Amino acid sequence: MRLLIYIAFPVCFLSDSSCSSGEKSVHREQGGQETGYYQERHRPQFHFSPESQWMNDPNGLVFIEGVYHLFYQHFPDSNIWGPMHWGHAISTDLVHWEHKPVGLYPDEHGYIYSGSAVYDSDNTSGLGTSDNPPVVAIFTYHDPSGEKAGKIDFQNQGIAFSLDNGETWKKYSGNPVLKNPGTRDFRDPRVIWHEPSDKWIMVLAAGDHVSFYSSTDLIRWSFESDFGSRLGAHGGVWECPDLFKLELPGVEKWVLLVSINPGGFNGGSATQYFIGEFTGKYFMADSPITRWLDYGMDNYAGVTWSNTGSRRIFIGWMSNWLYANKVPTTIWRSAMTLPRELNLVKTINGLELASMPVPEIYQIRNEEFSIGHFLVESTFDLSNQSNTRFSAFELSFLIKNASSFKVRISNSIGDSLVVGYHGFKLGDNRFYIDRRGSGETDFAPEFAGIHFSPRRSLEKDIHVQIFFDVSSVEFFADHGQTVMTDIFFPDAILDKIEIIAAENLEIADLKLYGINSIWD
Ligand code: FRU
């Protein structure tokens, strides 16, 4: 369990090169206050965040020889967005992360925007050997000078390869490999191996739709088809697609994730998805309904790891372009969501996606206490039951008969965040996160708000699992059928936990766990 301890490591400043990856150091925040490694105000304790400076989308997610690689959009010189690099971190358990040097730097073709990575096990690209096949990263080159000059073809796709399992990277000398066909937004390539057609398939975002290309060698690409200009949400530009197959007994479906900014369910950036068929040339959605992967405000540009067999592991950027550059953190900006496993579920609306935190995360929890069954008439103060105050914890319970409830976490200076459900008796059937009173909210007009999501399940009881990590909440209802992720910035740690009843509330199987820091 994390205690707020301030450890005395040698002091270093942001400009000080001795504060490089791997060295645990004291940081000095605005106002001159010293803090320990990953102990700054608002710093998440069990989520990935960069040691310092700016981060947005996850990139190049690939699993090789027992190692999960996480690359990410990164500007190493500032904590606001700028010339994009690929930052890099690795993990063997999706929980603890080791920072690595920057993977890809901008070059004469431009900044390195989002993309993916594959293990080219048969050396189809010829960039390695059959004995030592390459890992190939496929990304967008964004040429800022072309953009400034008013051109439309300033986004092109390039590749880089690694012959040491992702440790070091070399750009391909013939870049770009896929030239812009005359589309202003042409980016974020996701590449997969498509077994039935014996080809690599690239899906990338092209304004109001995605485009599919194919290749036998990751170098020469042929156009296959477009999808989506008349389906799904269109309140903004499409970005960061992902394509993968999921199975249930007797069912095999293709899933297409597409992020959109703005135009999300609760405003700003969000990720929609389609379930359907993919032939290697065309994607066909089974249903015209717009579906959202996460109904919160802060899960964007998420994609899944390649080379993980039938397991689909997703991670998203825990922010929103409405305010990402303004959130009140100091030496770093943004964290990732918890890694989540994606699965198909059968619902009354047909097949949908359920997301649940990867079970690996349970290795860092401490069982604090559990209660089998109890009734709440007005307010139940969980902080009174346990002697420990947590700033990072997991709370799960079962709400009997789908009654309305609130979980309020607060502090003694009046900041609070509420996660709740308005039930049928209140003429509703929606979950919500209310961060209006959660502390500092005035850095952007869109930040303070209450965000709703429909309940997808018809089960009588509601299973609730909530993860709080200093400045983020991830709410998984009905085993991941409805998910909401929001960030918040309290003026002091929120560590008082209460369950509040709107009507008589019957609760079963409550468990509260403190969660250890992954950075200790
Ligand atoms: C999504 C996005 C991508 C782009 C990257 C630039 O958040 O806009 O479309 O590649 O960020 O950093």
CSV table of all heavy atoms in Angstrom, one decimal, residues 40-79:
chain,number,residue,atom,x,y,z
A,40,GLU,N,5.2,13.1,-7.2
A,40,GLU,CA,4.7,14.5,-7.3
A,40,GLU,C,3.2,14.5,-7.2
A,40,GLU,O,2.5,13.5,-7.3
A,40,GLU,CB,5.0,15.0,-8.8
A,40,GLU,CG,6.5,15.0,-9.1
A,40,GLU,CD,6.9,13.6,-9.8
A,40,GLU,OE1,6.1,12.7,-9.8
A,40,GLU,OE2,8.0,13.5,-10.2
A,41,ARG,N,2.7,15.7,-6.9
A,41,ARG,CA,1.3,15.9,-6.8
A,41,ARG,C,0.5,15.4,-8.0
A,41,ARG,O,1.0,15.6,-9.2
A,41,ARG,CB,1.1,17.5,-6.7
A,41,ARG,CG,-0.2,18.0,-6.3
A,41,ARG,CD,0.1,19.5,-6.0
A,41,ARG,NE,-0.9,20.3,-6.6
A,41,ARG,CZ,-2.0,20.7,-6.0
A,41,ARG,NH1,-2.3,20.2,-4.8
A,41,ARG,NH2,-2.9,21.5,-6.6
A,42,HIS,N,-0.5,14.6,-7.8
A,42,HIS,CA,-1.4,14.1,-8.9
A,42,HIS,C,-0.7,12.9,-9.6
A,42,HIS,O,-1.3,12.4,-10.6
A,42,HIS,CB,-1.8,15.1,-10.0
A,42,HIS,CG,-2.5,16.3,-9.4
A,42,HIS,ND1,-3.5,16.2,-8.5
A,42,HIS,CD2,-2.3,17.6,-9.7
A,42,HIS,CE1,-3.9,17.4,-8.2
A,42,HIS,NE2,-3.2,18.3,-8.9
A,43,ARG,N,0.5,12.5,-9.2
A,43,ARG,CA,1.2,11.4,-10.0
A,43,ARG,C,0.5,10.1,-9.8
A,43,ARG,O,0.4,9.6,-8.6
A,43,ARG,CB,2.6,11.4,-9.6
A,43,ARG,CG,3.5,10.3,-10.3
A,43,ARG,CD,3.7,10.7,-11.7
A,43,ARG,NE,5.1,11.2,-11.9
A,43,ARG,CZ,5.7,11.2,-13.1
A,43,ARG,NH1,5.1,10.8,-14.2
A,43,ARG,NH2,6.9,11.7,-13.2
A,44,PRO,N,0.1,9.4,-10.8
A,44,PRO,CA,-0.5,8.0,-10.7
A,44,PRO,C,0.5,7.1,-10.1
A,44,PRO,O,1.7,7.1,-10.4
A,44,PRO,CB,-0.9,7.6,-12.1
A,44,PRO,CG,-0.8,8.9,-12.9
A,44,PRO,CD,0.1,9.8,-12.2
A,45,GLN,N,0.0,6.1,-9.3
A,45,GLN,CA,0.9,5.2,-8.6
A,45,GLN,C,0.9,3.8,-9.2
A,45,GLN,O,1.9,3.1,-9.1
A,45,GLN,CB,0.5,5.1,-7.1
A,45,GLN,CG,0.8,6.4,-6.4
A,45,GLN,CD,2.3,6.8,-6.5
A,45,GLN,OE1,3.1,6.0,-6.0
A,45,GLN,NE2,2.5,7.9,-7.1
A,46,PHE,N,-0.2,3.4,-9.9
A,46,PHE,CA,-0.1,2.1,-10.5
A,46,PHE,C,-0.5,2.1,-12.0
A,46,PHE,O,-0.9,1.1,-12.6
A,46,PHE,CB,-1.0,1.1,-9.8
A,46,PHE,CG,-2.4,1.4,-9.6
A,46,PHE,CD1,-3.4,0.9,-10.6
A,46,PHE,CD2,-2.9,2.1,-8.6
A,46,PHE,CE1,-4.7,1.1,-10.4
A,46,PHE,CE2,-4.3,2.3,-8.4
A,46,PHE,CZ,-5.2,1.8,-9.3
A,47,HIS,N,-0.4,3.3,-12.6
A,47,HIS,CA,-0.5,3.5,-14.1
A,47,HIS,C,0.8,3.9,-14.7
A,47,HIS,O,1.6,4.6,-14.0
A,47,HIS,CB,-1.6,4.5,-14.4
A,47,HIS,CG,-3.0,4.1,-14.1
A,47,HIS,ND1,-3.5,4.1,-12.8
A,47,HIS,CD2,-4.0,3.7,-14.9
A,47,HIS,CE1,-4.7,3.7,-12.9
A,47,HIS,NE2,-5.0,3.4,-14.1
A,48,PHE,N,1.0,3.6,-16.0
A,48,PHE,CA,2.2,4.1,-16.6
A,48,PHE,C,2.0,5.6,-16.9
A,48,PHE,O,1.0,6.0,-17.4
A,48,PHE,CB,2.4,3.3,-18.0
A,48,PHE,CG,3.6,3.9,-18.7
A,48,PHE,CD1,4.8,3.4,-18.3
A,48,PHE,CD2,3.5,4.8,-19.7
A,48,PHE,CE1,6.0,3.9,-18.9
A,48,PHE,CE2,4.6,5.4,-20.3
A,48,PHE,CZ,5.9,4.9,-19.9
A,49,SER,N,3.1,6.3,-16.6
A,49,SER,CA,3.2,7.7,-17.0
A,49,SER,C,4.7,7.9,-17.3
A,49,SER,O,5.5,7.2,-16.7
A,49,SER,CB,2.7,8.7,-16.0
A,49,SER,OG,3.4,8.6,-14.8
A,50,PRO,N,5.0,8.8,-18.2
A,50,PRO,CA,6.4,9.0,-18.5
A,50,PRO,C,7.1,9.7,-17.4
A,50,PRO,O,6.5,10.4,-16.6
A,50,PRO,CB,6.4,10.0,-19.7
A,50,PRO,CG,5.1,10.7,-19.6
A,50,PRO,CD,4.1,9.8,-18.9
A,51,GLU,N,8.4,9.4,-17.3
A,51,GLU,CA,9.2,10.0,-16.1
A,51,GLU,C,9.0,11.5,-16.1
A,51,GLU,O,8.8,12.1,-15.1
A,51,GLU,CB,10.7,9.7,-16.3
A,51,GLU,CG,11.1,8.5,-15.5
A,51,GLU,CD,12.6,8.3,-15.5
A,51,GLU,OE1,13.3,8.7,-16.4
A,51,GLU,OE2,13.1,7.6,-14.6
A,52,SER,N,9.1,12.1,-17.3
A,52,SER,CA,8.9,13.6,-17.4
A,52,SER,C,8.4,13.9,-18.8
A,52,SER,O,8.5,13.1,-19.7
A,52,SER,CB,10.2,14.3,-17.1
A,52,SER,OG,11.2,14.0,-18.1
A,53,GLN,N,7.9,15.1,-19.0
A,53,GLN,CA,7.5,15.7,-20.2
A,53,GLN,C,6.2,15.0,-20.8
A,53,GLN,O,5.5,14.3,-20.2
A,53,GLN,CB,8.6,15.7,-21.3
A,53,GLN,CG,9.9,16.2,-20.7
A,53,GLN,CD,9.9,17.7,-20.4
A,53,GLN,OE1,8.8,18.2,-19.9
A,53,GLN,NE2,11.0,18.4,-20.5
A,54,TRP,N,5.9,15.4,-22.0
A,54,TRP,CA,4.6,15.2,-22.7
A,54,TRP,C,4.5,13.7,-23.2
A,54,TRP,O,5.4,13.2,-23.8
A,54,TRP,CB,4.5,16.1,-23.9
A,54,TRP,CG,3.3,15.7,-24.7
A,54,TRP,CD1,3.2,14.9,-25.8
A,54,TRP,CD2,1.9,16.1,-24.5
A,54,TRP,NE1,2.0,14.8,-26.3
A,54,TRP,CE2,1.1,15.5,-25.5
A,54,TRP,CE3,1.3,16.9,-23.5
A,54,TRP,CZ2,-0.3,15.7,-25.5
A,54,TRP,CZ3,-0.1,17.1,-23.6
A,54,TRP,CH2,-0.8,16.5,-24.6
A,55,MET,N,3.3,13.2,-23.0
A,55,MET,CA,2.9,11.9,-23.6
A,55,MET,C,1.5,11.9,-24.2
A,55,MET,O,0.6,12.5,-23.5
A,55,MET,CB,3.0,10.7,-22.6
A,55,MET,CG,2.5,9.4,-23.1
A,55,MET,SD,2.7,8.0,-21.9
A,55,MET,CE,1.2,8.3,-21.0
A,56,ASN,N,1.3,11.4,-25.4
A,56,ASN,CA,-0.1,11.1,-25.8
A,56,ASN,C,-0.2,9.6,-26.2
A,56,ASN,O,0.2,8.7,-25.5
A,56,ASN,CB,-0.8,12.1,-26.7
A,56,ASN,CG,-0.1,12.4,-28.0
A,56,ASN,OD1,1.0,13.0,-28.0
A,56,ASN,ND2,-0.7,12.1,-29.1
A,57,ASP,N,-0.7,9.3,-27.4
A,57,ASP,CA,-1.1,8.0,-27.8
A,57,ASP,C,-0.1,6.8,-27.5
A,57,ASP,O,1.1,7.0,-27.8
A,57,ASP,CB,-1.4,7.9,-29.3
A,57,ASP,CG,-2.2,9.0,-29.9
A,57,ASP,OD1,-2.6,9.9,-29.1
A,57,ASP,OD2,-2.3,9.0,-31.1
A,58,PRO,N,-0.6,5.6,-27.1
A,58,PRO,CA,0.2,4.5,-27.2
A,58,PRO,C,0.6,4.1,-28.6
A,58,PRO,O,-0.3,4.2,-29.5
A,58,PRO,CB,-0.6,3.4,-26.5
A,58,PRO,CG,-2.0,3.8,-26.7
A,58,PRO,CD,-2.0,5.3,-26.7
A,59,ASN,N,1.8,3.7,-28.9
A,59,ASN,CA,2.2,3.3,-30.2
A,59,ASN,C,3.0,2.0,-30.2
A,59,ASN,O,3.5,1.6,-29.2
A,59,ASN,CB,3.2,4.4,-30.8
A,59,ASN,CG,2.6,5.7,-31.0
A,59,ASN,OD1,3.2,6.8,-30.9
A,59,ASN,ND2,1.3,5.8,-31.3
A,60,GLY,N,3.1,1.4,-31.4
A,60,GLY,CA,4.0,0.2,-31.6
A,60,GLY,C,3.9,-0.8,-30.5
A,60,GLY,O,4.9,-1.4,-30.1
A,61,LEU,N,2.7,-1.2,-30.1
A,61,LEU,CA,2.5,-2.2,-29.0
A,61,LEU,C,2.8,-3.5,-29.6
A,61,LEU,O,2.2,-4.0,-30.5
A,61,LEU,CB,1.1,-2.1,-28.5
A,61,LEU,CG,0.6,-0.8,-27.9
A,61,LEU,CD1,-0.9,-1.0,-27.4
A,61,LEU,CD2,1.5,-0.3,-26.8
A,62,VAL,N,3.9,-4.2,-29.1
A,62,VAL,CA,4.2,-5.5,-29.6
A,62,VAL,C,4.8,-6.3,-28.4
A,62,VAL,O,5.5,-5.8,-27.6
A,62,VAL,CB,5.2,-5.4,-30.8
A,62,VAL,CG1,6.5,-4.7,-30.5
A,62,VAL,CG2,5.5,-6.8,-31.4
A,63,PHE,N,4.5,-7.6,-28.4
A,63,PHE,CA,4.9,-8.6,-27.4
A,63,PHE,C,6.0,-9.5,-28.0
A,63,PHE,O,5.7,-10.2,-29.0
A,63,PHE,CB,3.7,-9.4,-26.9
A,63,PHE,CG,4.0,-10.4,-25.9
A,63,PHE,CD1,4.5,-10.0,-24.6
A,63,PHE,CD2,3.8,-11.7,-26.0
A,63,PHE,CE1,4.8,-10.9,-23.6
A,63,PHE,CE2,4.0,-12.6,-25.0
A,63,PHE,CZ,4.5,-12.2,-23.8
A,64,ILE,N,7.2,-9.4,-27.6
A,64,ILE,CA,8.3,-10.2,-28.1
A,64,ILE,C,9.1,-10.9,-27.0
A,64,ILE,O,9.6,-10.2,-26.1
A,64,ILE,CB,9.3,-9.4,-29.0
A,64,ILE,CG1,8.6,-8.3,-29.8
A,64,ILE,CG2,10.2,-10.3,-29.9
A,64,ILE,CD1,9.5,-7.2,-30.2
A,65,GLU,N,9.2,-12.2,-27.2
A,65,GLU,CA,10.0,-13.0,-26.2
A,65,GLU,C,9.7,-12.6,-24.8
A,65,GLU,O,10.7,-12.3,-24.0
A,65,GLU,CB,11.5,-12.7,-26.5
A,65,GLU,CG,11.9,-13.0,-28.0
A,65,GLU,CD,12.9,-14.1,-28.1
A,65,GLU,OE1,13.7,-14.3,-27.3
A,65,GLU,OE2,12.8,-14.8,-29.2
A,66,GLY,N,8.5,-12.6,-24.4
A,66,GLY,CA,8.1,-12.4,-23.0
A,66,GLY,C,8.1,-10.9,-22.6
A,66,GLY,O,7.9,-10.6,-21.4
A,67,VAL,N,8.3,-10.0,-23.5
A,67,VAL,CA,8.4,-8.6,-23.2
A,67,VAL,C,7.3,-7.8,-23.9
A,67,VAL,O,7.2,-7.9,-25.1
A,67,VAL,CB,9.8,-8.0,-23.5
A,67,VAL,CG1,9.9,-6.5,-23.2
A,67,VAL,CG2,10.9,-8.7,-22.7
A,68,TYR,N,6.6,-7.0,-23.1
A,68,TYR,CA,5.6,-6.1,-23.7
A,68,TYR,C,6.3,-4.7,-24.0
A,68,TYR,O,6.8,-4.1,-23.0
A,68,TYR,CB,4.4,-5.9,-22.8
A,68,TYR,CG,3.6,-7.1,-22.5
A,68,TYR,CD1,3.8,-7.9,-21.4
A,68,TYR,CD2,2.5,-7.4,-23.4
A,68,TYR,CE1,3.1,-9.1,-21.2
A,68,TYR,CE2,1.8,-8.6,-23.2
A,68,TYR,CZ,2.1,-9.4,-22.1
A,68,TYR,OH,1.3,-10.5,-21.9
A,69,HIS,N,6.3,-4.3,-25.2
A,69,HIS,CA,6.8,-3.0,-25.6
A,69,HIS,C,5.7,-2.0,-25.6
A,69,HIS,O,4.7,-2.3,-26.3
A,69,HIS,CB,7.5,-3.1,-26.9
A,69,HIS,CG,8.8,-3.9,-26.9
A,69,HIS,ND1,10.1,-3.3,-26.8
A,69,HIS,CD2,9.0,-5.2,-26.9
A,69,HIS,CE1,11.0,-4.2,-26.7
A,69,HIS,NE2,10.4,-5.4,-26.8
A,70,LEU,N,5.9,-0.9,-25.0
A,70,LEU,CA,5.0,0.2,-25.0
A,70,LEU,C,5.8,1.4,-25.6
A,70,LEU,O,6.6,1.9,-24.9
A,70,LEU,CB,4.4,0.5,-23.6
A,70,LEU,CG,3.7,1.8,-23.4
A,70,LEU,CD1,2.4,1.9,-24.3
A,70,LEU,CD2,3.3,2.0,-21.9
A,71,PHE,N,5.5,1.8,-26.8
A,71,PHE,CA,6.0,3.1,-27.3
A,71,PHE,C,4.9,4.1,-27.2
A,71,PHE,O,3.7,3.7,-27.0
A,71,PHE,CB,6.4,2.9,-28.8
A,71,PHE,CG,7.5,2.0,-29.0
A,71,PHE,CD1,7.3,0.6,-29.2
A,71,PHE,CD2,8.9,2.4,-28.9
A,71,PHE,CE1,8.4,-0.3,-29.3
A,71,PHE,CE2,9.9,1.6,-29.1
A,71,PHE,CZ,9.7,0.2,-29.3
A,72,TYR,N,5.2,5.3,-27.2
A,72,TYR,CA,4.1,6.4,-27.0
A,72,TYR,C,4.5,7.7,-27.6
A,72,TYR,O,5.7,8.0,-27.8
A,72,TYR,CB,3.8,6.5,-25.5
A,72,TYR,CG,5.0,6.8,-24.6
A,72,TYR,CD1,5.4,8.1,-24.4
A,72,TYR,CD2,5.7,5.8,-24.0
A,72,TYR,CE1,6.5,8.4,-23.6
A,72,TYR,CE2,6.8,6.0,-23.2
A,72,TYR,CZ,7.2,7.3,-23.0
A,72,TYR,OH,8.3,7.6,-22.2
A,73,GLN,N,3.5,8.4,-28.1
A,73,GLN,CA,3.8,9.8,-28.6
A,73,GLN,C,4.4,10.6,-27.5
A,73,GLN,O,3.8,10.7,-26.4
A,73,GLN,CB,2.5,10.4,-29.1
A,73,GLN,CG,1.9,9.8,-30.3
A,73,GLN,CD,2.7,10.2,-31.5
A,73,GLN,OE1,2.4,11.2,-32.1
A,73,GLN,NE2,3.6,9.4,-32.0
A,74,HIS,N,5.5,11.2,-27.8
A,74,HIS,CA,6.3,11.8,-26.7
A,74,HIS,C,7.0,13.1,-27.2
A,74,HIS,O,7.6,13.0,-28.3
A,74,HIS,CB,7.3,10.8,-26.2
A,74,HIS,CG,8.2,11.2,-25.1
A,74,HIS,ND1,7.7,11.8,-24.0
A,74,HIS,CD2,9.5,11.0,-24.8
A,74,HIS,CE1,8.7,12.1,-23.1
A,74,HIS,NE2,9.8,11.6,-23.6
A,75,PHE,N,7.0,14.1,-26.4
A,75,PHE,CA,7.9,15.3,-26.8
A,75,PHE,C,8.8,15.4,-25.6
A,75,PHE,O,8.5,15.9,-24.5
A,75,PHE,CB,7.0,16.5,-27.0
A,75,PHE,CG,7.9,17.7,-27.4
A,75,PHE,CD1,9.1,17.6,-28.1
A,75,PHE,CD2,7.5,19.0,-27.1
A,75,PHE,CE1,9.8,18.6,-28.5
A,75,PHE,CE2,8.2,20.1,-27.5
A,75,PHE,CZ,9.4,19.9,-28.2
A,76,PRO,N,10.1,15.0,-25.8
A,76,PRO,CA,11.0,15.0,-24.6
A,76,PRO,C,11.5,16.3,-24.1
A,76,PRO,O,12.1,16.4,-23.1
A,76,PRO,CB,12.2,14.2,-25.1
A,76,PRO,CG,12.0,14.0,-26.6
A,76,PRO,CD,10.7,14.4,-27.0
A,77,ASP,N,11.1,17.4,-24.9
A,77,ASP,CA,11.6,18.7,-24.5
A,77,ASP,C,10.6,19.6,-23.8
A,77,ASP,O,10.9,20.8,-23.5
A,77,ASP,CB,12.2,19.5,-25.7
A,77,ASP,CG,13.3,18.7,-26.3
A,77,ASP,OD1,14.1,18.1,-25.6
A,77,ASP,OD2,13.5,18.8,-27.5
A,78,SER,N,9.4,19.1,-23.6
A,78,SER,CA,8.4,20.0,-23.0
A,78,SER,C,7.2,19.1,-22.5
A,78,SER,O,7.0,18.0,-22.9
A,78,SER,CB,7.8,21.0,-24.1
A,78,SER,OG,6.7,21.6,-23.6
A,79,ASN,N,6.4,19.7,-21.6
A,79,ASN,CA,5.3,19.0,-21.1
A,79,ASN,C,4.0,19.4,-21.8
A,79,ASN,O,2.9,19.2,-21.4
A,79,ASN,CB,5.1,19.0,-19.6
A,79,ASN,CG,4.8,20.3,-19.0
A,79,ASN,OD1,4.7,21.3,-19.8
A,79,ASN,ND2,4.5,20.4,-17.8
